[in-house]
Amino acid sequence: MAKVQPAIISSGFSEHASKRSDVNMAELVNEAVENCIQMANIDWKDIDFVINGNMPAFEGANMPELWMGDHIAAKNKPMLRVTTGGTTGGSVTIAGYYAVASGLYETVLAIGFEQQSCGDTAIGLASVALGEVTIYPDVGYDFARMRSNLGAGAAIGVASYQAMNYMARSKATEEDLARVVVQNRRNAAKTWWTHLKMPTITIEDVLDTPYISYPLRFGMVCPATDGACAILYTTEEKARQIADIPVYVNGVASVANEPAILAPNMGGAGQVDPCEQLGAMKSAELAYGQAGISFPNKEIDYVEVYSPFPNQELMWVERLGLFEENMAPEAYRNGITAWNGELPVNCSGGVNSTNAIGASAMERPAEAALQIMGKASNQVPKTVHTAMGHGWGGAINFITHVVMSDEPQRKWR
Amino acid sequence: MEVGEEIKMPLPKYIKKEYKRSRTLRGNWYLTSYKYKFNLSRIKPYLKGLKEGYILGLKCRSCNTVSFPPRLICGRCLVKPDQWVKLPETATIATASASYAEDDKDHERPIPVIGVRQDGADTVLMHNMSENVDFNTIYIGMPLKAVWAKERKGSWFDIDHYEPLEDPANELNKEENKK
Amino acid sequence: MEKVGIVGYYQVKPDLDAMMSPPEMIFNAVRGALDSAGLKRKDISTVIGCTNDYYDGKTISNAFKVDAGGAYMKDESKVEFDGAHAALYGVFRILSGNHKLAMIYGYSMPSCFNYEAVRILELDPTFDRTVSLLNSYSAGGMQMRAYMKKFNVSLEDIAKVAVNSIKNAAKNPSALPEAQRSDISVGDVLESEILCSPLRKLMYPILCDGTAAIILAPEKQSLKITDNPVWITGVGNCQDTYYLGERDLSISTSMEIAANKAYKIAGINDPKKEIDIAEIFGHTTCEDLILAEAAGLCEKGNGTSLLDGGPALNPSGGTMSGLTPCVCGLTRIIEAVKQLRGEATGYQISGAKKAVATGQVGFCAQNNILYVLEGGGN
């Protein structure tokens, strides 16, 4: 019996800003959905299934798609909700892929959004560990020490641990980190929907800001954004009729690792080296295997990685198989990853310039798909045939990985 | 984290979008209090061991991973580990970062917070170093020794902090790097 | 659609206040399911969990349950609606051909928080939440009034269905002990406390802690694992509009659409005659009847006739045997599986071949999902 090959035919975004006070959640998502449907040139009645996801702690609403149904083309249609913290957008993208690949539904709309201005971001992020730390005072871990030990790194939490380990391994300097920030923010200035647009920023501007938590500075950190993103999937036959260049999704994986820094029931944390990321390496292996890619460096033309902090961008491009260990800073110095380089990375600005938590892991495969279709606002000069989008989140332990191309090459298992 | 809005510092060259505030509805909902449940069957023997001056880890018989402090479920094998082992008092730094005192608004005096990997264990515990350790002298892989608290009461901080030990390996690394 | 087999399951016995921590409870369910099917953790290919951040009291509630759910270094994801929706995502993953074994689990602990208070967050923040008159009781009461008025059903008839469900729960060994009353009568139900007229307390389920896990596999692999798999032959899902005023509360449009799609895939033309067991997840007894009618198991308004003949309605007691949010849909699937395999000791319906199991989420069953299950020789 023939299996079904899913294809992406369009992706849409809403305007992203630090406080979208002119719309409520339903209207914000509607902007992205309208953008997506118009580009695909189909009628909203043709949509068979809707999947939605966001991080619920920030808006104070439990399962908001129950009352948003009319705004997102979901009245009297099937609906599913998928949420996995920071990787929510990526998980929704993968769920859309599986909904079409199962053969049960033909046209599927996947939505990720976040309106962080509705709530308190710091509390939302801190309550990831809330259940685990309530027992500590009972065993003698007083509050002052807890605030100092478990809150090290201030609002950015675990990223500073990853940065220390990565810089010790690869001897990357702060200037390398600042170079990544400059590249991202300048790329964001050319993309229409991003939040922080800084077309003339330099390395000195970034290094001139004080430390949030060694070794990361204020100028290197991502913002908190309101925004939404939508992707439309359909089957291969229908995609050939509707779209000029359908984007076939060939490999998906989302392998989970143990949490870092803190573990359930007060145990020791399992990840000894936070920048080792076994989950990312296994996800990449599974996704490349499904897509039939043997040499990622040579076969992939465009990369979007999830890096709210610049040290993570250097780490991901190594762990996902694109560069040798500790060789990423040199690649950035030589311009290989620039907009006109051999392997462009994050030409939409990346998460460093726009971070709407529920949507950002979906914006990475969405922008990569637009680059293959030739419709991105910061289109790279080389022709893109194969691209990948990646997401990260959870208590450092979640990863999503999506590999797509303009030719179907799915390896049936 | 919003950059460039509340903090006054030189960040020019920033294009900001203007949105009209049309309507907002404030709401505060105190919903309920939550209860959290924990299983302390592995933690109580560990704390008792600390009171008597031993450091105990828990080993999973199927995969030989030792967890310190002890964990309830071994994720690799999906069993509940039950073999206790005695661990030495030495350790190494697995990861490190800095935290700042309440009155240090400009973040100029970093206080080290370290992730400690006890020798013989495969997990990481967040802890502190002795006072007056300069943040710039610590490095990943630095050897440490546990320092007991003056009075041990069977609480989490019966190991009060870790102090650095001499490391001949680091001296060699520094000479290598200079060449 | 190719058949997907259910090859193993496990239910942790429900308890009003379980003395277990969350990872321990999930570990019991997942380990129990693997042992019942004779499989190892290495065989699992993907894990889908169903938890809800607001019901757990922390964000990303599945980040710290990776070890307990058997998902270390495995492809895993999380759904936030109901256990039955997590099973739907598991069915997608199996049918795509990428995975060979899916572990689905659901978990929640109503003893740790106030369920009715947290449900206020499901309401739309602009109107319903500020007015805050809508909750499970008032929604159930309005639905019951609409149903009784449209089809001229009396309160005694609905009370008879409640008595039937509670007596069935008394025969079910995996029901909540406080919900089992074998000596209940129609008079007891009518005289119980009025929650929101005309809804009575004994028509509304008791909330309890619990976990459940099932294992799914493709057709060829299911036959290698067990001689007695239960096949999922059809599934349908639909979501209604949110506002109660825009719907006709005496019927359920979303369940009709979902059921029609499931029956079409499974090739069922006359559900009244072909289905033997119906495990319906309704939030109140009246909702059980409305959903059973919308699923085509009896004529509209004639739900009480299910007590006399036709498909057996909730032989395990349905939600009256204990309601755990996020898990109840999975429990309904497991009860149907037990009946089809002949493992429901004490309340077995003999000769059961085809069954229907449903799940829902939202006020007044806004989002419904229906499975058609077929059993082996029984």
Side-chain angles (χ1 to χ4, degrees), chain B residues 3-21:
Chain B
V3 185
E5 292 241 69
E6 290 116 313
I7 305 151
K8 301 258 181 295
M9 58 178 155
L11 258 192
K13 313 158 196 182
Y14 168 42
I15 305 175
K16 191 168 182 251
K17 295 185 225 190
E18 293 292 333
Y19 280 98
K20 269 197 305 200
R21 257 183 121 79

Side-chain angles (χ1 to χ4, degrees), chain C residues 81-107:
Chain C
F81 272 168
D82 185 31
H85 294 85
L88 177 69
Y89 193 6
V91 165
F92 287 164
R93 288 199 169 201
I94 298 281
L95 288 177
S96 71
N98 280 354
H99 297 282
K100 294 286 174 272
L101 199 75
M103 167 72 70
I104 319 278
Y105 71 84
Y107 151 83

Side-chain angles (χ1 to χ4, degrees), chain B residues 51-94:
Chain B
K51 184 170 179 183
E52 289 164 16
Y54 307 127
I55 299 186
L56 293 174
L58 190 63
K59 183 162 134 166
C60 169
R61 283 178 228 251
S62 328
C63 58
N64 278 349
T65 42
V66 176
S67 58
F68 168 82
R71 305 168 95 173
L72 186 63
I73 294 173
C74 174
R76 290 166 182 76
C77 318
L78 205 61
V79 290
K80 287 186 179 170
D82 56 359
Q83 185 177 14
W84 294 90
V85 291
K86 179 168 184 289
L87 298 176
E89 293 188 2
T90 47
T92 56
I93 291 190

Side-chain angles (χ1 to χ4, degrees), chain A residues 34-81:
Chain A
E34 289 284 333
N35 190 335
C36 184
I37 295 184
Q38 269 166 19
M39 186 202 247
N41 217 353
I42 65 164
D43 191 33
W44 68 267
K45 295 196 183 67
D46 295 333
I47 297 180
D48 295 323
F49 196 84
V50 180
I51 311 186
N52 184 34
N54 73 318
M55 227 173 125
F58 295 116
E59 290 99 12
N62 193 8
M63 308 194 266
E65 54 277 326
L66 292 179
W67 49 267
M68 287 203 303
D70 298 342
H71 286 258
I72 55 180
K75 180 164 174 184
N76 283 339
K77 297 231 184 98
M79 159 93 83
L80 188 65
R81 175 174 171 86

Side-chain angles (χ1 to χ4, degrees), chain B residues 25 29 31-39 71-80, chain C residues 17-18 21-24 27 31 41 54 56-57 67 72 111-114 121 129 209:
Chain B
L25 180 75
W29 280 275
L31 14 137
T32 179
S33 50
Y34 286 98
K35 231 167 49 170
Y36 298 104
K37 296 184 181 167
F38 293 90
N39 181 322
R71 305 168 95 173
L72 186 63
I73 294 173
C74 174
R76 290 166 182 76
C77 318
L78 205 61
V79 290
K80 287 186 179 170
Chain C
D17 192 357
S21 69
E24 201 180 338
F27 168 80
R31 208 3 139 202
R41 190 191 93 89
Y54 282 102
D56 269 358
D67 296 356
Y72 175 67
S111 63
C112 290
F113 64 96
N114 186 341
L121 294 175
R129 214 194 280 186
D209 298 344

Side-chain angles (χ1 to χ4, degrees), chain A residues 331-353:
Chain A
Y332 272 81
R333 266 176 243 142
N334 297 340
I336 296 183
T337 56
W339 174 75
N340 51 1
E342 291 158 23
L343 184 61
V345 174
N346 280 357
C347 288
S348 66
V351 183
N352 204 298
S353 320

